[in-house]
């Protein structure tokens, strides 16, 4: 399958570099370029891309607001934020706006392609430095507010899966840890997103961190095979 990609960055040189990266992949095609967020919203409506590569800081309309408008208009569009600014407020704002990933512009071409394909699959993508800081906050941060009431909708097994997603494990690793099949993990994830009213895996990661489900205390309650059979299904 060939995926259609829209590039949005206010720097022509960066757009050219991203075009070269995307064009090097046989399964990706550049269908348009935008120099600001407003133009990206217009082109997304006109061209209906599968993936938008979105800069954060731009004139006319910033990337976070553009992402919000694009995702609200078409939930099938995936957005990968590419930025020079490794700041948590951008990560959280972009995720809540609907972005499926956040990667720094100094990432290599191959790393970018891996991130694009992951976001297209619906997987979460976060720059390693962002994950490190999120984990540090779990260890050293102040006491949290009361947990979101939506957590009560989850079964014990679904909560376990959410904890492992937040700690950065992929579906195969979660399956191995909990002694269940990858298909069962995917089923749990679908139910988790529906019950928590979340768009995708990345929003689930942020939700879990916001509710204290990614630190060591949450992980201590994970027992392989708990909440189900100890054999793979």
């Amino acid at each position: 399958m060939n995926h259609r990609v829209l590039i949005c960055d206010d720097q022509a040189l960066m757009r050219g570099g991203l075009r070269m990266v995307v064009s090097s992949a046989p399964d990706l095609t550049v269908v348009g370029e935008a120099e600001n967020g407003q133009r990206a919203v217009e082109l997304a409506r006109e061209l209906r891309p599968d993936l938008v590569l979105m800069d954060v800081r731009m004139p006319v309309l910033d990337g976070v607001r553009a992402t919000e408008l694009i995702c609200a208009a078409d939930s099938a569009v995936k957005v990968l934020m590419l930025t020079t600014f490794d700041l948590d407020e951008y990560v959280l704002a972009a995720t809540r706006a609907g972005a499926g990933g956040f990667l720094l512009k100094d990432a290599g071409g191959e790393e970018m392609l891996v991130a694009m394909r992951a976001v297209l699959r619906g997987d979460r993508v976060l720059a390693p430095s962002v994950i490190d800081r999120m984990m540090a906050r779990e260890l050293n941060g102040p006491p949290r507010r009361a947990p979101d009431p939506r957590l009560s909708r989850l079964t014990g097994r679904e909560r376990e899966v959410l904890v492992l997603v937040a700690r950065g494990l992929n579906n195969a690793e979660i399956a191995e840890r909990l002694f269940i099949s990858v298909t069962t993990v995917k089923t749990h994830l679908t139910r988790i997103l529906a019950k928590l009213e979340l768009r995708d895996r990345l929003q689930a990661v942020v939700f879990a961190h916001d509710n204290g489900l990614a630190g060591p205390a949450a992980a201590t309650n994970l027992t392989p095979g708990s909440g189900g059979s100890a054999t793979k299904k």
Side-chain angles (χ1 to χ4, degrees):
M1 179 177 180
N2 194 276
H3 296 286
R4 297 159 56 82
V5 181
L6 172 63
I7 296 171
C8 182
D9 196 291
D10 62 332
Q11 296 183 3
L13 187 61
M14 188 66 198
R15 293 199 303 274
L18 291 173
R19 190 189 319 115
M20 290 180 62
V21 172
V22 173
S23 298
S24 71
D27 56 330
L28 302 172
T29 300
V30 176
V31 295
E33 298 181 21
E35 69 279 4
N36 60 63
Q38 182 60 48
R39 184 59 178 152
V41 173
E42 295 168 356
L43 287 178
R45 187 184 307 116
E46 175 187 339
L47 301 174
R48 300 182 65 84
D50 301 302
L51 175 68
V52 180
L53 302 180
M54 182 75 75
D55 190 14
V56 171
R57 286 187 174 179
M58 291 180 295
V60 186
L61 188 68
D62 67 83
V64 172
R65 178 59 178 156
T67 295
E68 185 176 15
L69 293 172
I70 289 171
C71 293
D74 187 352
S75 61
V77 178
K78 307 293 186 181
V79 179
L80 175 61
M81 307 296 293
L82 295 173
T83 181
T84 307
F85 306 97
D86 183 15
L87 299 175
D88 290 348
E89 57 264 34
Y90 290 139
V91 178
L92 295 176
T95 300
R96 288 170 180 141
F102 187 96
L103 198 64
L104 298 184
K105 287 182 179 179
D106 61 4
E110 190 58 38
E111 184 179 356
M112 285 187 178
L113 289 175
V114 169
M116 291 178 209
R117 291 173 180 134
V119 170
L120 283 164
R121 289 195 307 269
D123 291 342
R124 64 128 184 115
V125 175
L126 280 178
S129 58
V130 174
I131 296 176
D132 290 344
R133 284 201 307 278
M134 293 175 95
M135 293 305 297
R137 282 201 303 273
E138 293 295 335
L139 295 170
N140 305 315
R144 295 180 173 273
R145 65 182 186 277
D148 191 300
R150 286 175 291 178
L151 277 173
S152 64
R153 302 173 185 174
L154 302 182
T155 66
R157 175 62 92 197
E158 288 165 352
R159 193 179 178 110
E160 289 176 327
V161 171
L162 179 59
V163 168
L164 294 177
V165 167
R167 291 177 67 83
L169 277 68
N170 60 34
N171 289 352
E173 292 167 336
I174 294 172
E176 182 177 1
R177 176 71 181 271
L178 298 180
F179 289 93
I180 58 178
S181 70
V182 172
T183 300
T184 301
V185 173
K186 292 178 180 178
T187 299
H188 284 314
L189 281 171
T190 299
R191 291 173 179 166
I192 288 167
L193 294 178
K195 289 181 179 181
L196 298 181
E197 302 169 26
L198 302 174
R199 173 186 167 91
D200 54 30
R201 193 184 186 106
L202 183 55
Q203 287 195 340
V205 171
V206 173
F207 180 94
H209 279 274
D210 284 346
N211 287 277
L213 293 182
T220 57
N221 296 322
L222 295 177
T223 303
S226 66
S229 170
T231 59
K232 267 195 176 180
K233 303 173 187 176

